[in-house]
Structures are given as structure tokens and as C-alpha cells.
Amino acid sequence: MDFLRKLGIKKRNLGASTGLKWYGSSKGDELKIYSPINGQFIASVVQANEKDYNKIITKAHDAFLHWRTVPAPKRGEVVRAIGDQLRKNKDALGRLVTYEMGKSLQEGWGEVQEMIDICDFAVGQSRQLYGFTMHSERTEHRMYDQYHPLGVVATISSFNFPVAVWSWNAMIAAVCGDSNLWKPSSKTPLTAIAVQNILADVIRKFNLPEGLFSLVIGKGATIGERIVTDKRIPLVSLTGSTAVGRKAAQKISARFGKSILELGGNNAIILTSNADLKMAMPAIVFGAVGTAGQRCTSTRRLIVHESIYPKVKQSILKAYKGLRIGSPLDQKNHVGPLIDKASVEDFKSALVRLKKEGGKIIYGGEVLNGKGFGSGCYVRPVIAEAENHYGIVQEETFAPILYLIKYKGNVTNAIEIQNNVVQGLSSSIFTTDMREAEQFLSHWGSDCGIANVNIGTSGAEIGGAFGGEKETGGGRESGSDAWKAYMRRQTNTINYGTKLPLAQGIKFEI
């Protein structure tokens, strides 16, 4: 395919890179990648081993030692050039995202646009790495704080956003003076290789140090384990399941490292009796079936006031019956495949559990076969009636399953239902009542890291900090002041007088 050739994807690719040089043994474990769209073989990757990893991390650390001396606005110019390269390759990279991961072509292009947007944001941020000044209690003293580069930042990304999440971390870290080490999902390594190839022209143009943007594709038990235990990596940003994040966080904190964790989501939309249903329907359906329900911010639960429940139920049924399922390369289709057959099995298991616990499937649930569905990864999105306390509803199933949950009384009851899960990523309310909206956003409202009014749970602009609370992990990526996580904070006090007064008026004479 033309887009594979343009992005430098070969039939067999090495899995470790320092930006310009590729490493790997011809005898290494080979990872074969098949498209979930049609089941066809795309390419293979020779996975990195520990020897490769040691070469990569050494180069990444050496690159940091140089990069931290470069003025931040100059770093921003490099990121600007990366954004320009992504613009040139938006069509091809977007197509590869779709072909390897299975999301719609519009979403594939949108993901690359998100990379471009974060580059633009980071360029501006390179001139705004602000500290603060404080008044000292001591005469002829000045106090301020400032931020310094942190070191090698490792990004462990997930298959569902194979390139965008890397860019949130790598571009902000780059303007902060850090180097970046990337371990992509083993399910979507080709997009990461393509990004490394895109970066190569910028690295040559600016004569950047080898290792500034590095890549290691390998098994979690070897490469992943090395990353989370390596003291040369002060910050690990990890996107994945809660179970994986919990284990990784323990090992990172044991060595006093820092982590940004973007883990499970169990996101809900509340529809009050004052909701504008015409506005809400597209948000609900896109949130539930977009990316085949494989977004961290996908809508899992719909909490509906009893007075409008019958109408909402019928409207959603009508919308789902009109969904077009098929190849995401065809822009007329709404729903593409799950990432692999293992995800299909998780989908099926979740429905079995739902029925056992008393839930009712009112639409969908079939695994689709036949013409156009040859990969075995296509399913019909599900609408189910359930209760929030069900065990399966309390968990995140990475598939297009939407649980309808009825509530009575005022919006306080709906918020209580929404918050009564262990995850806390994204949340939404649809209402035309200002009091309901403000209560949802109040201290006693949504306990999620993202809370929206009259828009859905799925999707986020890069200008805001992205992340969640509770078992979603904590920490923030992307916009706002998330840049501070990629730097170390330092408080400075300068005595420009001739005496040495101590703080708190302490007297000490010698």
C-alpha cells in the first residue's frame, strides 16, 4: 500500500531506534501484525531485547544531558518542525492508524491532527515555563521558584490511541528539556515506527542528539519491566489497564520515581428531565460506539431520569439500528472492528456475566461474520438495561456496551450513581437547568478528572489537562499546566544583604 511505503514501513522492521539508527538482532523474537479490518498480514517487527534496551537508554540519557542546555524557545522550534512534518504526513499516518488499529479513517486523521495540535501548543509553552516570586520574611532576601528539566521520560502507550498519547507526552517533555523513550503497544507498533521515520528528517535538519526521541518495541515482561524499574528514568507515563498500572506504579514508586497513570474509565452521561435530547443523542451514540467502544473516555453508562427513560430508550434503539458496521476505511461506516479476537472474547464474556447478574440486552451482541467481516473482530454494539451495582457494570469492558440505568428524584441521586464506581476519568451531564449543571460541577458533584456539561464524555481538546482520579490513576497529560509534571521544581532564596538572618526569627550566634 502506498501509505506504508511513504512511511517507510517494510515487511520486516527492527524494533529499537535512537531516532536515526535502528537496532535489533535478526534472531530476535518477531512480532507479526495483522489488520483487524480484514485479518491481512501487514508487517512484522523484530522485538528489542535487553541488550538493545541498554543501548537505547544510554543514548537517551546522553541526549538529555545536551538537550537540557538548549534554551526552551529553541526546543520549541524543533517541536514546530515536527508539527510541520506531521502535517505533510497526516493522510498517510492517519491511514496507517486506521489500518493497524481499526478506528474510522476520520478518527485516524483526527488522531494525527491531535499530534499537530499538541505540537502547536508545546511551541507556545516553550516560552511560558513560568515560576513564581514570593516575598521573603527576611530583610534583603528574594525568593522565587523555577523549573528544571527532569531527565529521560518514558511513554508507555496503548493500542487505542497509538500515536496521539505519545505526542502529548513527548512534545511537552521535549520543550521542558527532557528526552523521550517510547514503548508502544505490541498490538500497534507500526504506527510508532512510522513516527520515528517522520522524526528522522527533523533530527537531521537540526543536528539533534541521537536518542532524543527513542523507541523500544518489546515484551512487557522484559522491556516494560526494565522501564518501570530503571532509575535512569525519573518519570514514566503509562496508559493501560488498572491492573497493569497498579503493578507498574508500585515498582516505580519503590525506586522513588514519578508516574503519570491514565488507566481505566467507566464514564457516564447523566440525562436529567431537563436534558435537550436532540443534542444529547449524537454525543451518546458517538461516545458509546466510536472507536468501537475502545476509548478511555468511551461512554459506558447512561444514567437517565425515570420521566424520560422510555423516550430515551426508543431514541437510542432507533439510532443503533441505523448504525453502519464495516471497514473503517469506508467513511460511510460508523463502527469498525475491535482490535483483536481476544477483545471479542472479552465482549462476549461481559454479556454472559451481565445476563447472570440480572441485566437485559435490548439490542446487539452478535459477533459478525461473512462478507466484509472476515477478520472475526466485528461485533454489533450493545444496549443493555442494568443496575449500577452489578459487578460487570462496575468494571470497564473495552468494547461497545452501553448500560442504561434509571434514576429517580433529583440530580443528586444521579451524581451519586455516577460516582459510585472505582474509576474516575470522564463524566457528562445534559441539562438546560443551570442549577443542575452547577451542582454537577461543584465540590460535591462529579468526582472525575473531566466533567462536561452538554457535551459527551468522549474526546478532549489538547488545551486542557487530561487525566482522572481514583483507579484511573491520577496525574495529567497534554494541556493546561500539565507541563510541570515533566520538570523538577526548585525553590531559590537569594540573600543580597550583608547579614545572615535566619527564618522564623531563630537566633544562632557563633
Side-chain angles (χ1 to χ4, degrees):
M1 295 185 178
D2 289 342
F3 63 85
L4 293 175
R5 287 191 291 271
K6 182 176 182 180
L7 295 170
I9 302 299
K10 305 171 184 177
K11 282 296 180 184
R12 193 167 187 268
N13 305 271
L14 297 180
S17 168
T18 56
L20 293 177
K21 296 180 180 179
W22 290 86
Y23 298 86
S25 169
S26 59
K27 297 179 181 178
D29 290 337
E30 201 164 335
L31 187 64
K32 295 184 178 181
I33 305 303
Y34 299 86
S35 173
I37 296 175
N38 52 25
Q40 292 182 0
F41 173 75
I42 307 175
S44 67
V45 180
V46 178
Q47 298 188 86
N49 56 31
E50 290 202 29
K51 184 178 178 181
D52 299 324
Y53 173 83
N54 288 330
K55 290 179 182 177
I56 298 296
I57 187 61
T58 299
K59 290 290 186 181
H61 182 68
D62 291 346
F64 161 69
L65 297 180
H66 167 74
W67 188 240
R68 66 182 178 180
T69 69
V70 177
K74 296 294 184 182
R75 300 177 205 142
E77 288 304 308
V78 170
V79 171
R80 187 196 304 276
I82 292 172
D84 289 341
Q85 282 297 103
L86 289 169
R87 285 182 174 88
K88 293 177 184 177
N89 290 277
K90 179 179 176 179
D91 179 73
L93 184 56
R95 288 180 184 276
L96 178 56
V97 168
T98 292
Y99 195 56
E100 185 178 31
M101 185 270 152
K103 62 175 59 178
S104 75
L105 193 53
Q106 285 293 329
E107 290 181 89
W109 287 328
E111 183 165 347
V112 181
Q113 184 60 49
E114 195 167 335
M115 300 174 77
I116 295 166
D117 292 344
I118 198 67
C119 286
D120 290 346
F121 182 92
V123 172
Q125 190 70 73
S126 70
R127 294 180 181 271
Q128 300 182 81
L129 303 177
Y130 296 132
F132 295 94
T133 59
M134 293 76 71
H135 286 270
S136 174
E137 67 184 58
R138 291 170 282 185
T139 303
E140 297 182 312
H141 281 59
R142 180 166 67 88
M143 294 177 64
Y144 68 95
D145 64 22
Q146 61 177 329
Y147 293 84
H148 294 299
L150 196 58
V152 181
V153 171
T155 303
I156 301 176
S157 60
S158 180
F159 74 86
N160 60 332
F161 279 86
V163 291
V165 171
W166 167 82
S167 69
W168 293 356
N169 290 277
M171 296 302 100
I172 299 298
V175 298
C176 289
D178 304 320
S179 60
N180 187 264
L181 176 66
W182 183 12
K183 181 191 179 302
S185 167
S186 295
K187 296 181 180 182
T188 52
L190 301 180
T191 48
I193 291 172
V195 170
Q196 286 291 107
N197 291 336
I198 290 169
L199 292 173
D201 286 342
V202 178
I203 292 170
R204 294 189 189 96
K205 177 181 177 181
F206 287 87
N207 194 28
L208 299 176
E210 184 184 357
L212 182 58
F213 299 105
S214 299
L215 177 70
V216 280
I217 298 167
K219 297 177 180 179
T222 52
I223 302 303
E225 183 71 13
R226 288 298 305 274
I227 288 173
V228 298
T229 57
D230 198 329
K231 291 184 177 181
R232 293 169 292 182
I233 301 176
L235 174 66
V236 178
S237 177
L238 184 150
T239 301
S241 69
T242 298
V244 170
R246 181 179 286 111
K247 292 178 181 178
Q250 291 171 354
K251 293 178 179 180
I252 296 166
S253 62
R255 62 176 175 84
F256 295 100
K258 299 180 180 179
S259 61
I260 299 172
L261 302 175
E262 204 284 277
L263 310 176
N266 197 345
N267 316 297
I269 293 178
I270 295 172
L271 296 182
T272 77
S273 58
N274 298 300
D276 181 336
L277 297 183
K278 185 177 180 181
M279 180 186 290
M281 280 304 140
I284 295 165
V285 178
F286 175 73
V289 308
T291 324
Q294 297 172 114
R295 290 189 175 212
C296 306
T297 54
S298 290
T299 306
R300 311 286 178 201
R301 298 173 295 146
L302 187 63
I303 303 168
V304 187
H305 192 270
E306 61 178 353
S307 65
I308 59 171
Y309 186 88
K311 183 177 181 180
V312 168
K313 179 179 173 180
Q314 290 304 312
S315 295
I316 294 175
L317 272 169
K318 181 180 179 181
Y320 269 54
K321 288 176 181 178
L323 290 174
R324 291 186 294 273
I325 305 169
S327 170
L329 293 170
D330 183 346
Q331 295 185 59
K332 293 180 181 179
N333 290 328
H334 299 108
V335 186
L338 293 173
I339 186 64
D340 54 25
K341 292 181 180 179
S343 294
V344 174
E345 291 304 313
D346 290 342
F347 171 79
K348 291 162 61 179
S349 296
L351 299 183
V352 170
R353 285 186 57 189
L354 172 68
K355 292 175 183 177
K356 285 183 178 179
E357 294 184 57
K360 179 183 179 183
I361 296 173
I362 58 176
Y363 183 81
E366 304 91 347
V367 177
L368 303 178
N369 297 296
K371 187 176 180 181
F373 304 122
S375 68
C377 297
Y378 293 84
V379 301
R380 195 174 303 282
V382 167
I383 307 169
E385 292 182 306
E387 295 184 22
N388 200 64
H389 64 83
Y390 290 173
I392 189 61
V393 176
Q394 289 284 311
E395 299 175 12
E396 179 190 44
T397 302
F398 229 49
I401 303 174
L402 179 65
Y403 301 114
L404 305 188
I405 301 168
K406 191 185 300 184
Y407 82 94
K408 300 178 181 181
N410 59 33
V411 73
T412 303
N413 297 329
I415 294 171
E416 183 178 352
I417 292 170
Q418 179 209 274
N419 292 347
N420 192 21
V421 292
V422 295
Q423 308 87 354
L425 180 53
S426 187
S427 59
S428 173
I429 188 171
F430 277 82
T431 179
T432 56
D433 186 311
M434 182 188 73
R435 291 176 176 173
E436 289 179 334
E438 289 297 331
Q439 187 170 346
F440 179 74
L441 300 177
S442 71
H443 300 323
W444 53 93
S446 171
D447 64 1
C448 296
I450 299 168
N452 298 326
V453 176
N454 292 331
I455 62 171
T457 63
S458 188
E461 296 182 36
I462 56 90
F466 184 89
E469 302 298 325
K470 302 189 291 187
E471 290 192 7
T472 296
R476 295 295 185 271
E477 300 169 311
S478 195
S480 186
D481 66 347
W483 63 270
K484 293 180 179 179
Y486 304 89
M487 307 194 80
R488 57 182 177 87
R489 186 170 185 165
Q490 185 180 79
T491 300
N492 306 114
T493 305
I494 301 171
N495 179 357
Y496 57 91
T498 58
K499 297 179 180 180
L500 188 68
L502 300 178
Q504 293 84 46
I506 294 173
K507 302 296 183 181
F508 183 79
E509 298 181 359
I510 55 174

